[in-house]
Amino acid sequence: MEMKIDGQTQLYGIFGNPVEHSLSPALHNAVFKRLGMNAVYMAFKVAPESLGLAFEGMRALGIRGVNITIPFKEDVLNFLDEIPEDLDRLTGAVNTAVLKDGQLLGYNTDGLGFLNALREDLSVSPSGKDILLLGSGGSARGVLFAMAHAGADRIFLYNRTHSRAHGLAEYAAQYFPQTEIVAVSSPSEIPAKKLDLVVNATPCGMRGNHELPMEWGLIKEPAAAYDLVYTPKETPWLKEAKKLGVPCANGMGMLLEQAAISFGLWTGKKEGVREAMREAVAACKL
Ligand code: NDP
């Protein structure tokens, strides 16, 4: 069915910076088309000083829902009326906003999206595992809280800015006494003999950024690796992991899973959503 825009078209979108390379518009518009919904999803590059204005605009124009991406997942909290879910409130990072009865509600679908993708792509559950998480930004928060909530045994946090990892580990540890959550300033501090999982939640390796989040030689015998980055399909870090024989996956699965959950929050629809998104991804040249 052809997409038509008329006086009743509903608007959705994503606020981020940069946002030009986001696949979210392709995913959500593919589902609107497949389900015959009169709606469109746009990418909005928002200057950091204009984030508040962007949310005022969302209210004023009746934009039904937006995703929030790099680097706004924490700042967005200043502009929401409510975060309905306890875990999302604790996480302190939001990637989905819903405008409902004039109220802006915030959700974090990254955490559950990540867990779903980890299960689908690597057959891994964090329960009882020793995990190294690279990064301490907005998506790392979602991933950290989801893994702790899912019963990880130990989570080691490593970040370029150590104080940020330290603050996040101390904050998260108070809510998950069953999980040891510690920030390490060097991989040599990790007491685990081997790691069950290593997760990259930094933009290192994203198109145009050739840095590695951490040299593989520094990481202790990893059993699996997940990279949140999905453009390119295989980052230099994942290429190395493959060479070492480490089972690994890129962030495409998480992108699909978190997007499908956001779509459900906005529209109440679940049927056919993942399938349409998968087809849209297959049609994209990455
Ligand atoms: P943020 O800006 O909130 O955080 C970025 C984190 O990465 C910080 O911890 C930062 O460290 C670290 N970092 C940034 N640049 C470097 C570098 N050159 N070397 C080492 N560390 C660095 O971003 P997000 O957490 O929102 O996003 C991180 C990545 O995850 C992005 O690439 C994003 O596209 C991807 N992502 C993928 C998703 C998916 O569905 N697959 C979902 C969400 C995110 P510091 O504190 O020192 O600044």
Side-chain angles (χ1 to χ4, degrees):
M1 183 193 292
E2 271 309 303
M3 182 182 279
K4 70 174 170 67
I5 293 182
D6 60 19
Q8 292 180 51
T9 304
Q10 298 296 336
L11 183 57
Y12 295 82
I14 180 165
F15 293 168
N17 193 342
V19 77
E20 297 86 339
H21 298 106
S22 171
L23 282 184
S24 296
L27 297 187
H28 290 284
N29 286 320
V31 185
F32 289 142
K33 197 170 167 190
R34 173 182 280 218
L35 301 184
M37 295 171 67
N38 189 356
V40 66
Y41 183 108
M42 300 279 295
F44 298 101
K45 184 174 179 180
V46 178
E49 65 276 14
S50 301
L51 190 60
L53 277 177
F55 280 103
E56 282 310 301
M58 180 176 174
R59 286 181 203 271
L61 301 175
I63 296 175
R64 294 284 182 97
V66 294
N67 285 126
I68 298 98
T69 188
I70 189 170
F72 299 132
K73 288 181 181 177
E74 294 163 80
D75 294 345
V76 55
L77 267 65
N78 297 318
F79 309 107
L80 300 171
D81 295 309
E82 199 190 333
I83 300 178
E85 302 294 334
D86 291 344
L87 186 61
D88 296 349
R89 266 200 306 282
L90 284 187
T91 301
V94 156
N95 73 330
T96 303
V98 182
L99 186 64
K100 194 174 175 204
D101 304 326
Q103 296 285 296
L104 267 180
L105 311 180
Y107 298 86
N108 186 311
T109 70
D110 278 341
L112 184 57
F114 169 76
L115 293 182
N116 290 349
L118 202 58
R119 191 186 55 237
E120 284 285 311
D121 294 344
L122 292 171
S123 304
V124 170
S125 150
S127 176
K129 302 289 194 316
D130 285 348
I131 299 161
L132 171 60
L133 174 59
L134 307 173
S136 295
S139 20
R141 290 183 86 98
V143 167
L144 171 65
F145 277 76
M147 294 195 300
H149 192 248
D153 199 22
R154 292 192 283 185
I155 303 175
F156 306 101
L157 264 182
Y158 176 82
N159 191 44
R160 177 177 63 179
T161 309
H162 178 67
S163 56
R164 199 171 177 197
H166 183 71
L168 178 56
E170 278 206 332
Y171 168 75
Q174 59 186 317
Y175 299 108
F176 298 100
Q178 85 289 359
T179 302
E180 197 184 319
I181 304 174
V182 281
V184 293
S185 55
S186 149
S188 61
E189 288 174 21
I190 297 173
K193 283 210 176 65
K194 63 172 188 56
L195 288 163
D196 298 300
L197 176 67
V198 184
V199 181
N200 175 38
T202 79
C204 293
M206 208 158 93
R207 191 146 283 160
N209 171 341
H210 299 292
E211 285 181 77
L212 294 180
M214 182 179 279
E215 296 285 347
W216 273 107
L218 299 172
I219 300 173
K220 294 182 182 175
E221 291 188 37
Y226 195 93
D227 195 339
L228 264 63
V229 176
Y230 53 84
T231 48
K233 270 187 191 161
E234 207 170 67
T235 60
W237 191 68
L238 281 190
K239 265 194 188 119
E240 274 302 303
K242 255 192 184 166
K243 269 192 216 155
L244 295 167
V246 180
C248 52
N250 69 17
M252 192 54 80
M254 175 176 172
L255 180 78
L256 284 178
E257 294 291 338
Q258 60 79 28
I261 304 167
S262 296
F263 196 93
L265 286 168
W266 295 326
T267 65
K269 295 190 194 299
K270 292 185 179 146
E271 200 84 354
V273 171
R274 277 183 184 76
E275 293 71 18
M277 287 184 176
R278 268 193 203 107
E279 282 171 19
V281 167
C284 288
K285 286 197 181 79
L286 296 178

